[in-house]
Amino acid sequence: MRLEAITWERLADALAERIVAMPAHDGSPWLRVAVDGAPAASPDALAARLAEALRARGRAVHQVGASGFLRPASLRLEYGRQDPDAYHDAWFDRQALWREVFRPLDPGGTGRVLPDLWDPVADRATRSAYVELPPGGVLLLHGPLLLGHWFPFDLSVHLKLTPAALARRTPEGERWTLPAFARYEAETRPEEAADVVVRADDPRRPAWSGPG
């Protein structure tokens, strides 16, 4: 895959231009966009830049972090606190994401999205209020391991890190997750699954696969 150097600002603008020009694949009045990447790649930061660029173009935006949809500790940590396979398979409540985030944005849906579900520190429901996304609005879901679950994304962006960069930029206490990301690369192949790939090994010098 050929990648071109770009700045984060230009990347957000280019992605926003593509999003405002595209219809939803299923005819929904809402668009659903993924910013996929390991925490070390800071997918939340790109989602925030993209949200700002979309709002500047008159679009309503709602950001949802996958970290707000973790499963209860009794399920996440059933096999211990540092099990990479459990992190890959069981930490994120994907059924809740379907129910509370995606189905309300189906054609004929309510547009009422739950911003988060579970507080992993308190290990209890957040009790957050629903947010209504108006027709024409854009959902930005950001976080790790988002691809390969048949989520109805209209556009998916994958932040790619080489194994060396991922290990270098992952805090010591989180390096037990590295085998989970190696498995994700091998099984899901996010570089092929995503619509747009952004290489983020050097956070100062991203490169991307182009507008498509």
Side-chain angles (χ1 to χ4, degrees), residues 58-78:
R59 290 297 186 99
V61 180
H62 182 59
Q63 298 179 70
V64 172
S67 60
F69 283 83
L70 294 178
R71 302 175 78 199
S74 60
L75 299 175
R76 290 198 318 275
L77 309 180
E78 182 178 1

Side-chain angles (χ1 to χ4, degrees), residues 8 16 45 52 61 64 75 96-97 126-127 139-140 147 156 158 179 190 197:
W8 292 112
E52 183 178 351
V61 180
V64 172
L75 299 175
L97 281 168
T126 59
R127 303 183 187 276
L139 168 78
L140 294 180
L147 305 180
S156 55
H158 173 63
V197 175

Side-chain angles (χ1 to χ4, degrees), residues 11-114:
L11 174 63
D13 284 338
L15 291 173
E17 288 293 330
R18 176 169 176 176
I19 291 167
V20 299
M22 67 187 297
H25 294 328
D26 59 4
S28 170
W30 301 280
L31 289 170
R32 295 139 300 191
V33 176
V35 182
D36 172 68
S42 301
D44 55 336
L46 177 56
R49 288 182 182 273
L50 181 53
E52 183 178 351
L54 286 166
R55 291 184 181 114
R57 289 161 173 80
R59 290 297 186 99
V61 180
H62 182 59
Q63 298 179 70
V64 172
S67 60
F69 283 83
L70 294 178
R71 302 175 78 199
S74 60
L75 299 175
R76 290 198 318 275
L77 309 180
E78 182 178 1
Y79 299 102
R81 293 183 174 275
Q82 297 188 349
D83 186 292
D85 285 327
Y87 180 78
H88 182 282
D89 295 334
W91 271 50
F92 298 94
D93 194 340
R94 297 180 178 106
Q95 290 185 348
L97 281 168
W98 272 106
R99 182 180 67 250
E100 305 292 355
V101 176
F102 289 107
R103 286 180 186 158
L105 303 182
D106 283 342
T110 64
R112 297 177 70 246
V113 175
L114 193 64

